[in-house]
C-alpha cells in the first residue's frame, strides 16, 4: 500500500518539487497550500507523514503543528518541517513542538528523500 504524504506549503513550486522527488517511490502525495487546508487534509486523509512549511498565509506551520499535536486522532502523525530559516532559535522552537526533522529551503531532491526515508519506508515503484 502506498505511503501517504501530505505536503503543506504555500509555494506551488515546493509542492511540485516534493511530488517530483517522491515520484519514483510508492507514495501518494496530497497537497495543501496553507495550514488550514493542511489540518483539514490531515483529518480526512490520515497521512503517514506531513511535510510542513513554517511561513504560510491563513495559518502558519507552527500554528498547524500545535493544533495537530493537540488532536488525539492526529498527534501521532510524524512531521518534517520545511523552513527558509536555519537559525538556531527557529530550529529549537520547532523541535520543542515535536517535529521529527526539518529541512532548510532550498533543498535538493536527495536531501528530501533521505529525510523522508528516515521517517517512513520508501519503496521504489516497480519498473513497468
Amino acid at each position: 500500500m502506498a505511503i501517504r504524504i501530505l505536503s503543506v506549503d504555500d509555494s506551488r513550486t515546493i509542492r511540485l518539487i516534493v511530488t517530483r522527488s517522491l515520484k519514483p517511490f510508492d507514495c501518494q502525495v496530497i497537497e495543501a497550500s496553507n495550514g488550514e487546508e493542511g489540518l483539514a487534509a490531515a483529518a480526512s486523509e490520515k497521512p503517514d507523514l506531513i511535510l510542513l512549511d513554517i511561513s504560510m498565509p491563513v495559518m502558519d506551520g507552527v500554528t498547524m503543528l500545535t493544533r495537530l499535536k493537540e488532536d488525539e486522532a492526529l498527534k501521532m502523525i510524524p512531521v518534517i518541517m520545511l523552513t527558509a530559516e536555519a537559525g538556531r532559535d527557529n530550529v529549537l522552537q520547532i523541535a520543542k513542538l515535536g517535529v521529527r526533522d526539518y529541512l532548510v529551503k532550498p533543498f535538493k531532491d536527495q536531501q528530501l528523500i533521505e529525510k523522508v526515508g528516515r521517517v517512513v519506508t520508501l519503496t521504489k515503484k516497480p519498473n513497468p
Side-chain angles (χ1 to χ4, degrees):
M1 195 166 104
I3 298 288
R4 296 159 59 79
I5 297 176
L6 173 59
S7 175
V8 185
D9 201 303
D10 59 320
S11 167
R12 187 168 188 281
T13 303
I14 294 294
R15 293 193 317 267
L16 284 170
I17 290 169
V18 166
T19 301
R20 187 194 70 216
S21 298
L22 296 170
K23 194 174 179 77
F25 302 95
D26 191 14
C27 290
Q28 176 190 1
V29 179
I30 303 144
E31 295 185 14
S33 61
N34 61 58
E36 201 169 89
E37 287 178 13
L39 266 180
S44 65
E45 301 290 337
K46 301 286 191 289
D48 299 295
L49 172 66
I50 298 173
L51 299 174
L52 179 58
D53 185 25
I54 289 183
S55 300
M56 295 180 289
V58 185
M59 179 190 293
D60 67 27
V62 173
T63 303
M64 179 183 159
L65 181 63
T66 303
R67 294 210 183 147
L68 268 175
K69 295 300 179 186
E70 291 169 350
D71 188 319
E72 285 299 316
L74 305 176
K75 71 180 186 180
M76 298 310 290
I77 301 171
V79 176
I80 295 176
M81 296 297 281
L82 304 180
T83 177
E85 305 143 34
R88 188 173 165 272
D89 292 343
N90 197 37
V91 171
L92 286 174
Q93 178 193 12
I94 61 175
K96 285 180 190 166
L97 292 171
V99 298
R100 277 294 179 86
D101 210 336
Y102 71 96
L103 196 54
V104 178
K105 294 180 194 177
F107 53 83
K108 294 188 176 1
D109 293 2
Q110 194 54 42
Q111 291 172 301
L112 175 70
I113 291 164
E114 283 173 18
K115 299 270 186 182
V116 169
R118 289 182 196 156
V119 181
V120 295
T121 302
L122 289 175
T123 308
K124 286 240 185 214
K125 288 180 183 169
N127 291 331

